[in-house]
Amino acid sequence: MKSINAKRILAAVLTGAMALSFTACGEKKDNGSTSEKFIVGFDAAFPPYGYQDDQGEYVGFDLDLAAEVCERNDWQLVKQPIDWDSKDMELNSGTISCIWNGFTMTGREDDYAWTAPYVDNSQVVVVKQESGIASFADLADKGVAVQTDSSAEDALEQEENAALKDSFKELVVVSDYNTAFMNLDSGAVDAVAMDIGVAKYQIESRGDGYIMLPETLSEEQYAVGFALNNTELRDKVDATLNDMRKDGTFEKIAEKWELSDSIIK
């Protein structure tokens, strides 16, 4: 993992590339005006915030928010799936304009230019209903899966969770949560640590065979992350999100995705 100073240096060197990715990718519209591209980097397997549905479309709460922001600013939304462990490279090279996909700002405050937080989140553990696992204490000598470079992985690296992590038989790092649940179903792991919003979605969509343990690994907040020196674009997005809160559009989108209890109003 890169140090914060290294990230800052890389971001500074590539400022021009970042600016170019947003301002120089215009397309002529029918009325002759230019529409700037706003390229959202997201994990395409992170429902309900951003994912690929059964029709092959990229959908989700965060993508709906981004679409509304683009509509209000006359920008062209480009939904760009990324490998989550490559997100910093994508951002600092200018391939994407921002990271917007259930992106935790807690503990990363100095690494990115953030909007105001818009979702309260926590890290939880999901197990199979018939596993006999009812609490964190029951995870001793069990295999637990996390997504690479995820907030759950970060939470398990924290001192307050050190004893819990040390009790595991193994911590298995996978590329995405679909793989994590495949491992859970096959018995390759006994539990999956993940964001509570994603956990609720997975449990509801996969049926009654899973439960969420009552404890939490950590409490955190989501925000939209930009390159450190791209504050101008961050400010535009932040202001638009504030307008959406004031006129009720933000809450309406949250209701659509059953996230009303999690949003920061």
Side-chain angles (χ1 to χ4, degrees), residues 214-265:
E215 302 102 320
T216 60
L217 294 169
S218 66
E219 305 292 332
E220 61 191 28
Q221 294 181 321
Y222 287 164
V224 187
F226 297 80
L228 276 171
N229 42 19
N230 199 12
T231 55
E232 182 178 356
L233 181 57
R234 184 275 311 275
D235 290 346
K236 289 180 181 178
V237 172
D238 206 19
T240 307
L241 287 172
N242 283 334
D243 289 342
M244 291 163 57
R245 288 186 181 95
K246 292 174 183 177
D247 66 22
T249 305
F250 191 99
E251 188 163 3
K252 179 183 283 188
I253 295 173
E255 288 174 357
K256 171 185 174 181
W257 293 100
E258 299 182 355
L259 289 168
S260 296
D261 293 341
S262 299
I263 62 171
I264 300 171
K265 299 179 181 179

Side-chain angles (χ1 to χ4, degrees), residues 14-68:
L14 294 169
T15 304
M18 183 64 211
L20 182 63
S21 75
F22 183 76
T23 60
C25 296
E27 290 189 356
K28 290 293 183 181
K29 302 173 75 176
D30 292 340
N31 61 8
S33 65
T34 299
S35 176
E36 295 174 332
K37 287 185 178 179
F38 183 69
I39 307 172
V40 172
F42 70 102
D43 176 356
F46 199 71
Y49 297 95
Y51 65 102
Q52 191 170 31
D53 67 12
D54 293 338
Q55 287 72 49
E57 298 294 324
Y58 294 122
V59 298
F61 173 57
D62 284 347
L63 294 179
D64 278 359
L65 290 177
E68 181 67 19

Side-chain angles (χ1 to χ4, degrees), residues 140-175:
D141 298 319
K142 300 295 195 296
V144 179
V146 293
Q147 184 185 33
T148 182
D149 201 28
S150 66
S151 297
E153 184 180 19
D154 288 345
L156 286 167
E157 295 295 335
Q158 301 304 311
E159 184 176 353
E160 58 265 30
N161 291 315
L164 174 64
K165 180 186 174 185
D166 289 344
S167 75
F168 299 161
K169 177 182 178 181
E170 62 177 337
L171 183 66
V172 179
V173 181
V174 298
S175 60

